[in-house]
């Protein structure tokens, strides 16, 4: 933080230049949307069927080709009479007696020598087209999704500490460079295990870069603008989510699409390299490092982080349950894809309208209450409620759970002190990705554990209602710098309580043990600077 502090001190506070810099920091949200949504898009299962093999047909049918060969080889299933995706018709052996001149199939058999995809022009399932992740290989899809989310989890937890050690912007630039290299390597992967390893590393670096950018943007803003500049990234993330299908339609190939995503990351790198040089031109000393284990010596800060991590965990995991309630029957991929993106944008707008007016804690409590009520009603009365009621509860639950997740992340950044804010917020973000990983894990067991998963997250939402009452109110407060400042957030301000006294001495004049932030002597500290 020392470099950012000196730059702000030289600029005279949160002026026009710093507003533009904070607004430009929304652009990484587009990369975030592309990266998180690419997993859903690339691993979707496209319509397919086994490739007909004339060698498996009776001699009288081996001369067929085109649609006639397809009708003689692949059975139809369901009321829609669609082609069976994983089976071929089985015919009697050539020497076996046949009741008619034309041999008739006497069953079905699996076939693993290739598939034909009915709609190769659709952008969903490009990764499945590349690696044939269908039928008996279908278990690899949730494995790949879980590994990708595990990378985001590990990146959030581990690289948050690195942000505290080396500074926000330096870590951001370094991780964007690494993410560009890993993205290009991922596009050139020649085997599925190599793809899994590269996606794990790529997801981790992107998570660390987004976390570093979020923290830097928050610490560049004064208190009245924290919410607006923090939530703006959510809208840009939705832009990236909506942009991805168009890029996939244009690319028509897994490697080319990955290359386009890497190109976007590289352009972002070139843009932010200049911003980094401008921002760090005021100083280059390294900040003092504090371990996240310092939380063990606190009484309030660790509790606030635990509650917000728990809130992030259940809100991140229960979204899949509400999506399942909206599209329970073999959903159209684009219906759930664009519905989730639209709910994400609506959640950001709701937070922009309410979180500053009502306060963080009341909005988080209200969102958790709505999430728990919607989930419990769906669990208890899904078979008896009308369809429109189930639809309404699922939409409400998806909307408020996404709002609770976003607000938990902002709340965590406001209650953790600057000296360990990266590590603390990384733990809260990692809890959210852990909750999201529950959905692909349930898919690995053919969704047999989906109901139990919904019960666990619904119970967690009810428990979180009691815990949120212990949180302080972060709205209107200056960001805490040291652990002592964060410990002072235990009691929320009442309407008649006096606000904390403003700092009247220069940060560089205090004892070295009181703060990690230093400034040049005789500098002018803006009135909004946190105590």
């Amino acid at each position: 933080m020392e470099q950012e502090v000196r730059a702000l001190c030289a600029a005279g506070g949160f002026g026009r230049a710093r507003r533009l810099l904070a607004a430009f920091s929304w652009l990484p949200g587009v990369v975030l949307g592309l990266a998180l949504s690419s997993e859903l898009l690339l691993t979707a299962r496209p319509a397919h069927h086994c490739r007909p093999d004339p060698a498996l047909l009776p001699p009288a049918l081996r001369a067929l080709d085109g649609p006639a060969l397809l009708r003689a080889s692949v059975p139809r299933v369901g009321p829609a009479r669609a082609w069976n995706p994983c089976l071929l018709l089985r015919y009697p052996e050539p020497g076996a007696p046949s009741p008619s001149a034309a041999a008739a199939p006497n069953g079905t058999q699996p076939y693993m020598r290739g598939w034909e995809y009915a709609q190769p022009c659709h952008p969903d399932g490009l990764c499945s087209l590349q690696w044939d992740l269908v039928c008996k290989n279908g278990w690899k899809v949730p494995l790949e999704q879980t590994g990708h989310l595990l990378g985001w989890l590990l990146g959030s937890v581990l690289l948050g500490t690195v942000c505290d050690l080396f500074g926000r912007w330096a870590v951001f630039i370094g991780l964007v460079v690494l993410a560009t290299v890993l993205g290009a390597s991922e596009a050139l992967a020649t085997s599925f295990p190599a793809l899994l390893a590269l996606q794990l590393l790529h997801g981790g670096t992107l998570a660390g870069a987004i976390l570093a950018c979020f923290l830097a943007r928050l610490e560049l803003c004064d208190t009245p603008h924290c919410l607006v500049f923090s939530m703006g990234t959510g809208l840009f993330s939705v832009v990236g989510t909506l942009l991805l299908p168009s890029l996939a339609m244009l690319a028509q190939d897994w490697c080319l699409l990955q290359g386009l995503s890497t190109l976007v990351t590289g352009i972002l790198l070139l843009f932010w390299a200049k911003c980094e040089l401008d921002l760090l031109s005021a100083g280059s000393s390294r900040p003092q490092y504090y371990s996240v284990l310092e939380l063990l010596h606190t009484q309030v800060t660790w509790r606030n982080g635990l509650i917000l991590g728990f809130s992030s965990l259940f809100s991140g995991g229960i979204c899949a349950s509400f999506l399942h309630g909206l599209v329970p029957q073999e959903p159209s991929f684009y219906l759930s894809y664009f519905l989730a993106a639209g709910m994400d944008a609506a959640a950001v707008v709701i937070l922009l309208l309410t979180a500053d007016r009502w306060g963080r804690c009341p909005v988080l409590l209200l969102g958790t209450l709505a999430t728990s009520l919607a989930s419990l009603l769906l669990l208890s009365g899904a078979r008896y409620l009308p369809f429109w009621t189930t639809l309404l509860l699922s939409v409400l639950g998806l909307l408020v759970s996404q709002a609770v997740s976003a607000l938990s992340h902002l709340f965590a950044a406001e209650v953790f002190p600057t000296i360990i804010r990266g590590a603390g917020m990384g733990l809260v973000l990692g809890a959210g990705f852990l909750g999201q990983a529950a959905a692909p894990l349930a898919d690995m067991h053919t969704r047999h554990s989906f109901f139990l998963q919904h019960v666990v997250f619904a119970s967690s939402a009810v428990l979180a209602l009691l815990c949120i009452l212990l949180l302080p109110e972060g709205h209107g407060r200056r960001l805490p710098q040291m652990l002592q400042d964060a410990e002072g957030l235990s009691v929320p301000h009442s309407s008649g309580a006096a606000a904390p006294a403003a700092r009247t001495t220069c940060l560089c004049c205090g004892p070295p043990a009181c703060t990690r932030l230093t400034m040049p002597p005789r500098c002018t500290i803006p009135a909004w600077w946190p105590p």
Side-chain angles (χ1 to χ4, degrees):
M1 275 289 293
E2 183 176 355
Q3 298 94 334
E4 290 86 350
V5 169
R6 292 187 178 185
L8 282 174
C9 186
F14 193 59
R16 180 174 179 272
R18 291 304 171 266
R19 291 173 188 264
L20 290 176
L21 182 60
F24 282 141
S25 68
W26 289 340
L27 294 179
V30 179
V31 178
L32 174 64
L34 289 172
L36 282 177
S37 304
S38 63
E39 280 306 294
L40 299 175
L41 187 69
L42 299 175
T43 57
R45 293 178 175 89
H48 65 280
H49 57 78
C50 294
R51 182 180 296 118
D53 188 355
L56 299 178
L57 297 177
L61 301 179
R62 291 178 183 174
L64 298 176
D65 60 356
L69 177 62
L70 185 63
R71 287 192 297 269
S73 302
V74 182
R76 292 182 179 270
V77 293
R81 306 297 296 164
W83 301 114
N84 191 301
C86 301
L87 297 174
L88 288 177
L89 291 172
R90 183 180 60 204
Y91 288 86
E93 295 295 333
S98 178
S100 60
N106 60 359
T108 58
Q109 58 184 346
Y111 184 71
M112 297 291 294
R113 298 184 182 178
W115 292 266
E116 290 183 354
Y117 297 92
Q119 296 174 334
C121 60
H122 282 203
D124 58 304
L126 289 181
C127 188
S128 296
L129 292 172
Q130 177 77 16
W131 305 103
D132 285 333
L133 304 180
V134 294
C135 297
K136 289 187 177 181
N137 292 329
W139 62 272
K140 296 180 180 179
V141 173
L143 176 64
E144 191 269 343
Q145 293 173 343
T146 304
H148 186 71
L149 289 173
L150 179 62
W152 283 82
L153 189 158
L154 294 176
S156 301
V157 173
L158 299 178
L159 296 178
T161 303
V162 179
C163 291
D164 294 331
L165 179 59
F166 296 105
R168 319 301 193 210
W169 294 110
V171 172
F172 174 76
I173 293 297
L175 289 177
V176 171
V177 172
L178 186 57
T180 304
V181 175
L182 289 172
S185 302
E186 189 177 335
L188 302 176
T190 56
S191 65
F192 187 73
L195 178 67
L196 289 180
L198 288 172
Q199 285 201 329
L200 179 71
L201 297 174
H202 190 208
T205 54
L206 284 175
I210 295 300
L211 175 60
C213 187
F214 183 92
L215 293 174
R217 177 176 53 248
L218 181 71
E219 292 163 354
L220 279 173
C221 298
D222 57 346
T223 302
H225 298 90
C226 282
L227 177 70
V228 174
F229 283 97
S230 298
M231 292 293 105
T233 306
L235 295 177
F236 275 76
S237 177
V238 174
V239 171
T241 301
L242 299 178
L243 180 64
L244 185 61
S246 301
L247 290 178
M249 185 72 74
L250 179 65
Q252 291 292 316
D253 181 75
W254 150 258
C255 296
L256 184 56
L257 178 62
Q258 188 63 32
L260 288 175
S261 299
T262 304
L263 179 63
V264 174
T265 309
I267 293 174
L268 180 68
L269 169 64
L270 294 176
F271 173 80
W272 276 104
K274 183 179 184 303
C275 293
E276 169 73 2
L277 293 176
D278 293 342
L279 186 64
L280 299 183
S281 58
S284 60
S285 59
R286 180 174 297 180
Q288 185 179 355
Y289 171 66
Y290 289 80
S291 171
V292 71
L293 297 179
E294 296 289 337
L295 284 175
L296 299 178
H297 304 293
T298 64
Q299 297 180 353
V300 176
T301 309
W302 75 268
R303 183 193 67 193
N304 295 337
L306 182 63
I307 294 173
L308 291 171
F310 187 63
S311 174
S312 178
L313 174 68
F314 88 81
S315 59
I318 205 170
C319 288
S321 302
F322 290 124
L323 269 177
H324 181 74
L326 287 172
V327 280
Q329 308 290 338
E330 286 300 324
S332 167
F333 170 78
Y334 290 105
L335 175 61
S336 57
Y337 183 86
F338 288 111
L339 183 62
M343 290 296 103
D344 198 4
V348 172
V349 173
I350 288 177
L351 290 178
L352 289 173
L353 296 176
T354 59
D356 268 348
R357 177 173 299 181
W358 298 345
R360 313 288 195 254
C361 201
V363 173
L364 185 64
L365 184 65
L366 182 61
T368 306
L369 177 62
T371 302
S372 58
L373 287 177
S375 59
L376 291 175
L377 288 174
L378 286 175
L379 282 174
S380 60
R383 297 183 178 180
Y384 312 103
L385 294 175
F387 173 75
W388 65 269
T389 306
T390 303
L391 183 65
L392 179 62
L393 289 174
S394 299
V395 170
L396 175 64
L398 182 61
L399 177 63
V400 294
S401 61
Q402 290 181 335
V404 167
S405 178
L407 185 57
S408 298
H409 301 159
L410 175 62
F411 210 157
E414 292 178 338
V415 299
F416 279 112
T418 300
I419 59 173
I420 56 170
R421 182 171 293 128
M425 188 179 174
L427 293 173
V428 175
L429 281 174
F433 289 120
L434 180 62
Q436 294 178 33
L441 286 176
D443 285 336
M444 295 182 70
H445 298 280
T446 347
R447 304 194 73 85
H448 291 315
S449 59
F450 180 79
F451 179 79
L452 179 61
Q453 171 187 317
H454 195 175
V455 171
V456 170
F457 285 127
S459 304
S460 301
V462 176
L463 180 60
L465 280 173
L466 304 177
C467 299
I468 290 174
L469 296 174
L470 302 175
L471 289 174
E473 176 52 58
H475 171 55
R477 294 178 181 265
R478 299 171 180 177
L479 295 178
Q481 301 298 314
M482 300 298 296
L483 288 173
Q484 294 86 344
D485 301 330
E487 290 291 286
L489 298 177
S490 56
V491 180
H493 289 305
S494 61
S495 58
R503 187 188 300 272
T504 57
T505 60
C506 179
L507 290 174
C508 62
C509 301
C514 292
T515 179
R516 65 173 291 193
L517 301 176
T518 59
M519 285 187 175
R522 296 180 299 276
C523 65
T524 303
I525 300 176
W528 54 265
W529 188 252

